[in-house]
Amino acid sequence: MNKLLKLLGELHPESEITHDSALIDDKILTSLDLVTLVTDLNDAYGIEIGAGDITPDNFNSIDAIASLVRQKGGEICN
């Protein structure tokens, strides 16, 4: 999970992103952030997140992103 938190932190170093952060609902992540994050996740975890996977439900929380990464075959370490 540290790698995921690091990726999110690099997108918004000014924000304190926690497990409770509503990344989409609270407008922490923009559409441009999502494009960057998807590319970073694909590279960091060796997965392929498709356009159909980019939904608010999949990116609204750290746990949702971690679940998506796992579904795509990536390994999230706590």
Side-chain angles (χ1 to χ4, degrees), residues 11-12 26 33-34 40 42-43 47 58:
L11 281 175
H12 285 283
D26 291 343
D33 291 334
L34 286 176
D40 291 346
N42 287 342
D43 292 344
I47 59 174
N58 285 337

Side-chain angles (χ1 to χ4, degrees), residues 5 8-9 11-12 15-21 23 28-29 62:
L5 285 169
L8 288 166
L11 281 175
H12 285 283
S15 298
E16 186 175 329
I17 297 174
T18 68
H19 279 30
D20 296 326
S21 298
L23 302 171
I28 296 170
L29 294 179
I62 291 173

Side-chain angles (χ1 to χ4, degrees), residues 3-64:
K3 187 188 307 186
L4 179 54
L5 285 169
K6 182 179 178 209
L7 291 174
L8 288 166
E10 289 171 356
L11 281 175
H12 285 283
E14 75 285 355
S15 298
E16 186 175 329
I17 297 174
T18 68
H19 279 30
D20 296 326
S21 298
L23 302 171
I24 303 295
D25 291 344
D26 291 343
K27 297 179 175 55
I28 296 170
L29 294 179
T30 66
S31 57
L32 182 58
D33 291 334
L34 286 176
V35 171
T36 302
L37 181 58
V38 166
T39 300
D40 291 346
L41 291 170
N42 287 342
D43 292 344
Y45 293 100
I47 59 174
E48 187 65 37
I49 297 172
D53 298 315
I54 304 173
T55 65
D57 287 341
N58 285 337
F59 287 90
N60 199 37
S61 70
I62 291 173
D63 289 336

